[in-house]
Amino acid sequence: MDVGERLQAIRKLKGLSQRELAKRAGVTNSTISMIEKNSVSPSISSLRKVLGGIPMSMVEFFSEELQPENTTQIVYKANELIDISDGAVTMKLVGKAHPSRAIAFLNEIYPPGADTGEEMLTHEGEETGILVEGRLELVVGLETFVLEVGDSYYFESTKPHRFRNPYDVPARLISAATPANF
Amino acid sequence: MDVGERLQAIRKLKGLSQRELAKRAGVTNSTISMIEKNSVSPSISSLRKVLGGIPMSMVEFFSEELQPENTTQIVYKANELIDISDGAVTMKLVGKAHPSRAIAFLNEIYPPGADTGEEMLTHEGEETGILVEGRLELVVGLETFVLEVGDSYYFESTKPHRFRNPYDVPARLISAATPANF
DNA sequence: TCGAAGTGTTGTAAATACTGAACGCTGTTG
DNA sequence: CAACAGCGTTCAGTATTTACAACACTTCGA
């Protein structure tokens, strides 16, 4: 990856001049200039300072640029969603499963009795969502929650978790998870 | 984050000595030693070389930074969501706005006439969502779409985009975007 | 048209990182 | 007990990065 090019792109995206960014970051404008021209390879500490002025984390900085997929469909009608249902739970994925995507955005329906399973789920990433219909039970770690319409949740997927509908009406959940592992 | 500590932890995990890693990475053992003791802040280029000997990407190396925040709250009632509304558009964020989170999960309401602005939005990342109420116009690049209830979308945020409600009923959108920039 | 304030670049000197060659230590082998 | 081979650390000198202070250029008003 081209550090200078990337820094310049980010700086311009934020509408900052070299001097402006330098001031916020606590370095001199010449430092920014030379980094952007790749005439130096900045130290971790100074790149940290520079990114602090944006602000942006090192991870974000080094994260691969998302390459523009051509011919990507943008809008999907309800019946075009990809069904990745598992057992009783209906799960429909928004968008194609291209490998570079970061978010898994799902429309999930839990009929009465549906359950992600007694064995708790655990994986990398984050998970969030909102209940738009019915009632649903969510277990995260040792805690158990009851989601009502309009309630939402957010947790690290590394915590063991489980969704379950012990009620007699279907529950509809809209959720997002990252990274997009299927 | 403590760069030296992290490097040492990784190196030991891989069962490498300083000299062994130095040899693979094409630097001297003293460089490794000093980095691990934090007596220097390595340049990007030398840290790259060092990680190349493991091998490990910069992103992986700095991903450790994404840990410190431990969000305890998991479930949020509708009235607990953080309001980050902008203009006429009501936007409510699920979960706390801790800097390390990856997903911005939003419950957005566009009253009749609401608009994200004539100037198209452009930023890094991906954007996806589903319309759960009303009708909404979405412009991405040169294309214009009309979203009906149940329709969803998915696109790279680098494409210029705009949301608008030219209709006479409020539209409710549930969306997810990454990274979580506010 | 002229200055003032902005932009990015560059030369020099100071600060910092890196190399190469030591050192002291530990564990193994003959 | 050597002699050795490995380990991580340290130090002096060299290479690189950074700050400071210029420079040339553009834009905007007076």
Side-chain angles (χ1 to χ4, degrees):
Chain A
M1 189 186 79
D2 186 318
V3 171
E5 201 176 294
R6 173 120 172 98
L7 178 59
Q8 186 169 71
I10 291 164
R11 178 176 61 80
K12 289 187 170 168
L13 203 68
K14 297 286 178 180
L16 298 173
S17 69
Q18 289 183 345
R19 285 179 145 87
E20 176 89 27
L21 175 56
K23 193 172 150 193
R24 296 189 191 193
V27 300
T28 60
N29 56 309
S30 55
T31 300
I32 309 278
S33 174
M34 296 199 295
I35 292 172
E36 289 187 0
K37 291 166 60 62
N38 284 314
S39 53
V40 298
S41 175
S43 68
I44 297 295
S45 56
S46 60
L47 183 59
R48 268 245 178 71
K49 277 197 276 184
V50 170
L51 295 182
I54 290 182
M56 169 176 273
S57 72
M58 294 293 265
V59 175
E60 286 175 273
F61 185 83
F62 286 106
S63 290
E64 293 296 316
E65 298 270 10
L66 301 162
Q67 38 209 346
E69 294 258 346
N70 306 356
T71 75
T72 31
Q73 188 174 348
I74 293 174
V75 167
Y76 301 81
K77 305 302 282 184
N79 61 8
E80 290 181 301
L81 298 185
I82 297 168
D83 195 320
I84 55 167
S85 298
D86 184 25
V89 185
T90 304
M91 293 179 156
K92 287 174 182 275
L93 175 71
V94 174
K96 301 241 161 56
H98 41 282
S100 64
R101 61 183 291 167
I103 301 181
F105 195 78
L106 301 171
N107 188 356
E108 309 177 33
I109 295 175
Y110 290 76
D115 192 339
T116 55
E118 215 165 304
E119 206 168 326
M120 304 284 272
L121 304 171
T122 302
H123 44 95
E124 293 284 310
E126 299 174 33
E127 211 155 324
T128 176
I130 187 167
L131 193 73
V132 296
E133 233 179 276
R135 265 201 304 181
L136 194 63
E137 187 187 282
L138 165 61
V139 184
V140 178
L142 301 173
E143 295 177 282
T144 299
F145 306 94
V146 176
L147 297 172
E148 309 278 352
V149 169
D151 291 354
S152 49
Y153 63 90
Y154 195 101
F155 58 85
E156 313 279 326
S157 310
T158 48
K159 299 186 183 172
H161 53 280
R162 172 188 190 182
F163 291 93
R164 199 161 72 95
N165 182 3
Y167 311 107
D168 54 7
V169 290
R172 178 161 164 243
L173 186 67
I174 294 181
S175 75
T178 184
N181 302 325
F182 309 109
Chain B
M1 188 185 81
D2 187 318
V3 171
E5 202 175 294
R6 171 115 172 102
L7 178 60
Q8 185 167 72
I10 291 164
R11 177 176 63 79
K12 290 187 169 168
L13 204 67
K14 297 287 176 179
L16 298 172
S17 70
Q18 289 184 346
R19 286 179 144 88
E20 176 87 28
L21 175 56
K23 192 174 154 192
R24 297 190 189 190
V27 300
T28 59
N29 59 309
S30 52
T31 300
I32 308 278
S33 174
M34 295 198 294
I35 292 173
E36 289 187 359
K37 290 168 61 60
N38 285 314
S39 54
V40 298
S41 176
S43 69
I44 297 295
S45 56
S46 60
L47 184 59
R48 269 243 179 71
K49 278 197 276 185
V50 171
L51 295 182
I54 290 183
M56 171 176 271
S57 72
M58 294 291 265
V59 175
E60 287 174 276
F61 184 83
F62 286 105
S63 288
E64 191 70 4
E65 280 182 348
L66 302 182
Q67 299 305 339
E69 210 78 24
N70 54 338
T71 317
T72 44
Q73 189 171 357
I74 292 174
V75 167
Y76 300 81
K77 305 303 282 183
N79 61 10
E80 288 181 303
L81 299 185
I82 297 167
D83 195 319
I84 55 167
S85 299
D86 184 25
V89 185
T90 303
M91 295 180 158
K92 287 173 184 275
L93 174 71
V94 174
K96 301 243 160 56
H98 44 283
S100 62
R101 62 184 290 165
I103 301 182
F105 195 79
L106 300 172
N107 187 356
E108 309 178 34
I109 295 175
Y110 291 76
D115 192 339
T116 55
E118 214 165 306
E119 205 168 327
M120 305 282 274
L121 305 171
T122 303
H123 45 95
E124 298 275 316
E126 298 173 35
E127 212 155 324
T128 176
I130 186 167
L131 193 72
V132 294
E133 232 180 278
R135 264 200 308 180
L136 193 63
E137 186 188 282
L138 165 61
V139 184
V140 178
L142 301 173
E143 296 177 281
T144 299
F145 306 92
V146 176
L147 298 170
E148 309 277 352
V149 169
D151 291 354
S152 50
Y153 62 90
Y154 195 99
F155 58 85
E156 312 280 325
S157 308
T158 47
K159 299 186 183 173
H161 53 279
R162 172 188 190 183
F163 291 92
R164 200 161 73 94
N165 182 2
Y167 311 106
D168 53 8
V169 292
R172 176 160 164 245
L173 186 67
I174 293 180
S175 75
T178 183
N181 301 326
F182 308 109

